[in-house]
Amino acid sequence: MQQRGNFSSKLGVILATAGSAVGLGNIWRFPYEAGSSGGGSFLLLYLLFVLLLGVPVILAEFVVGRSSQRNASAAFQVLAPNTPWHWVGKMGVLTGLLINGFYAVVTGWTFAYLFKSLTGGLMESGVDYQTLFDKMTSDTWAPIGWMLVVMLVAHTIIRKGVSGGIERASKILMPLLLVVMLVLSVHSCMLAGAPEGLKFLFYPDFSKITPTVAFRALGQAFFSLSLGMGCLITYSSYFKQDVDLQRSALQIALLDTLVAIIAGIIIFPAVFTFGVEPEAGPGLVFKVLPNVFAQMGYPFVWSSLFYLLLSIAALTSLISLHEVVTAYVSETWHVSRRWASWSVVGVVSVLGVFSSLSFGLLKDVQLFGRTFFDWLDFITSSVFLPLGGMLISIFVAWKLDRSRLENELAGKGRYAKAVLPFLIFILRYIAPVAIFVIFITSIIGA
Ligand code: TRP
């Protein structure tokens, strides 16, 4: 077989996959989705979906990836030749491109904030951060420029393959991000708005649980776990045989959820302290966070450190999205990884220009109240990812050879074997039906 990368160690596997999962989805998207969907009730459903649907579907992707050792689309061709299943993989590749098209823009914002922080412009006294965000993102050229910088950085890392620099760097940087976030969360809990903010995040108001909230929580769970588009198929295709899939899936889901919850603990007390609307949308975190830094000792250090780590977390996720498409293009059309990656940069940059302009020049170009950026975000997370996840579970539970499935999943201990029937039951019945029901009820309710 052609030279395919391998993750160099077990820790590397967990870190790279966790690096894909932990990103803007946890720190930027989770707070704004929770803020728009009522806080506690959203969180409750989100947790339920991560555990009940997220973990089993992660495992389904792992099984497809590791047992085929192919990219998202070729994996289905190997496991089920001459069937239409490879379209699931192809839909995933398309989804990857579309997510990339707005993710690169938001990563560009974090780069811009890092730059502004390092050059001293962010922590000047008297800055109104809500206006600052609107001004920065509505500009025509600067955000596009940052988005292009982000794509070039991602390209450079992708070209060098999977187990080079990122794997090593994230061993140090991801734990550091967690430490910085813990400090920030303690600080937020001492703000005047903390009781109100924490109540908003943790207290589930059952009357606020609607089909739409469930729909959005499901989308957020999939987005945050990098699930439903073959990203984990692609990554696990580089896993070695001795990686315990069950354990890895559980660890990644727990870590990812922990980071999202800590992000919520940082953001919501500040939301209520500094008078930002929880429904502020994609700008929420960018409008709220600088206020938190400004109140701390050494604001320059905290804000620069935070935006640096956030940029890196965003990059490791962006790279995983980029890798899905790059692996597909290069292995399908037999072009070098380098040219495959360039073609991804080209397509994503075009999408990125339109996403970026959705906050300025094209702000009023809307379809059903959504801009181009909003559509990319919504259609991928809420529709394509859950749909992909549903099809992948159906594939693994109904179509895949049973002994292959058991071999891949069995892992070592007795415990791992005992949960197997339960897992298969979820993948066969619960996951597809639950996702289907959430779709239908939210469409009827809309
Ligand atoms: N999960 C990442 C985040 O939370 C984003 C991401 C990376 C992603 N790869 C993905 C989302 C694949 C969906 C599918 O920021």
Side-chain angles (χ1 to χ4, degrees):
M1 210 172 103
Q2 74 275 56
Q3 21 61 285
R4 296 187 93 240
N6 246 325
F7 287 121
S8 56
S9 64
K10 273 196 219 175
L11 187 63
V13 168
I14 301 294
L15 281 171
T17 316
S20 164
V22 175
L24 294 169
N26 311 60
I27 297 163
W28 159 72
R29 200 174 189 280
F30 171 76
Y32 99 68
E33 284 285 307
S36 309
S37 295
S41 30
F42 179 89
L43 178 63
L44 184 72
L45 289 175
Y46 171 76
L47 292 177
L48 191 76
F49 293 152
V50 167
L51 263 180
L52 195 69
L53 307 176
V55 176
V57 182
I58 295 180
L59 280 167
E61 286 208 25
F62 279 179
V63 168
V64 172
R66 189 170 66 181
S67 63
S68 68
Q69 305 201 10
R70 293 291 198 284
N71 66 63
S73 161
F76 290 97
Q77 270 157 348
V78 170
L79 298 176
N82 306 319
T83 62
W85 280 102
H86 62 98
W87 287 105
V88 176
K90 295 199 166 73
M91 180 177 88
V93 172
L94 174 70
T95 310
L97 271 177
L98 299 179
I99 297 179
N100 229 317
F102 69 90
Y103 208 92
V105 172
V106 184
T107 310
W109 298 346
T110 67
F111 275 41
Y113 268 68
L114 171 62
F115 180 76
K116 210 169 173 54
S117 177
L118 287 174
T119 51
L122 195 62
M123 288 295 120
E124 278 168 358
S125 58
V127 182
D128 173 0
Y129 293 112
Q130 307 209 38
T131 331
L132 179 82
F133 174 81
D134 292 333
K135 241 173 76 194
M136 272 181 75
T137 52
S138 61
D139 184 49
T140 301
W141 297 109
I144 293 182
W146 283 113
M147 181 269 296
L148 293 174
V149 170
V150 164
M151 290 308 299
L152 290 181
V153 175
H155 168 77
T156 311
I157 301 175
I158 281 281
R159 245 190 61 196
K160 296 199 190 309
V162 248
S163 73
I166 11 164
E167 212 191 309
R168 228 168 305 140
S170 49
K171 272 181 209 179
I172 310 163
L173 295 171
M174 288 302 109
L176 189 60
L177 174 66
L178 205 59
V179 172
V180 171
M181 287 182 68
L182 280 172
V183 175
L184 295 177
S185 67
V186 170
H187 191 85
S188 270
C189 286
M190 295 184 303
L191 292 170
E196 207 182 336
L198 294 175
K199 179 165 179 239
F200 179 82
L201 178 62
F202 288 112
Y203 178 75
D205 178 351
F206 289 97
S207 68
K208 286 206 181 126
I209 296 186
T210 62
T212 313
V213 173
F215 186 55
R216 306 205 69 126
L218 180 70
Q220 174 59 24
F222 275 67
F223 186 89
S224 194
L225 296 170
S226 303
L227 213 51
M229 49 77 69
C231 189
L232 300 182
I233 295 182
T234 306
Y235 266 36
S236 58
S237 74
Y238 306 117
F239 285 8
K240 291 185 184 143
Q241 215 52 43
D242 64 347
V243 172
D244 182 338
L245 298 185
Q246 291 190 31
R247 209 188 146 102
S248 312
L250 206 57
Q251 279 171 340
I252 288 159
L254 288 179
L255 179 72
D256 189 69
T257 307
L258 184 71
V259 176
I261 292 177
I262 298 174
I265 299 177
I266 300 172
I267 308 290
F268 287 107
V271 162
F272 290 96
T273 308
F274 301 108
V276 182
E277 287 297 316
E279 291 96 3
L284 179 73
V285 174
F286 290 90
K287 294 174 178 174
V288 169
L289 270 176
N291 291 296
V292 177
F293 304 132
Q295 291 238 323
M296 300 173 76
Y298 306 104
F300 167 81
V301 177
W302 287 111
S303 77
S304 305
L305 191 60
F306 178 80
Y307 286 113
L308 174 70
L309 296 170
L310 183 58
S311 301
I312 293 166
L315 263 178
T316 55
S317 303
L318 189 72
I319 285 165
S320 73
L321 287 159
H322 199 120
E323 172 65 23
V324 175
V325 194
T326 303
Y328 171 75
V329 171
S330 120
E331 292 173 16
T332 307
W333 288 297
H334 306 288
V335 290
S336 66
R337 281 182 62 86
R338 174 154 175 233
W339 285 106
S341 169
W342 271 123
S343 64
V344 180
V345 172
V347 176
V348 171
S349 300
V350 174
L351 294 172
V353 166
F354 286 100
S355 309
S356 184
L357 293 177
S358 301
F359 292 85
L361 223 53
L362 303 181
K363 200 179 184 161
D364 298 319
V365 181
Q366 297 185 353
L367 193 66
F368 302 112
R370 285 197 172 92
T371 61
F372 184 76
F373 180 101
D374 298 335
W375 271 109
L376 282 188
D377 185 350
F378 171 77
I379 204 100
T380 51
S381 322
S382 296
V383 182
F384 284 163
L385 296 180
L387 191 65
M390 181 173 101
L391 293 171
I392 293 168
S393 357
I394 293 177
F395 177 78
V396 166
W398 291 94
K399 180 85 192 153
L400 201 66
D401 179 44
R402 181 70 175 242
S403 63
R404 180 173 220 149
L405 176 62
E406 290 184 357
N407 270 344
E408 287 289 345
L409 282 181
K412 288 170 203 89
R414 230 179 310 145
Y415 169 72
K417 285 224 170 58
V419 289
L420 215 62
F422 179 62
L423 254 170
I424 293 175
F425 180 77
I426 292 189
L427 287 176
R428 286 203 144 187
Y429 305 101
I430 309 285
V433 172
I435 294 170
F436 187 73
V437 168
I438 293 169
F439 261 131
I440 297 302
T441 50
S442 78
I443 289 168
I444 294 170

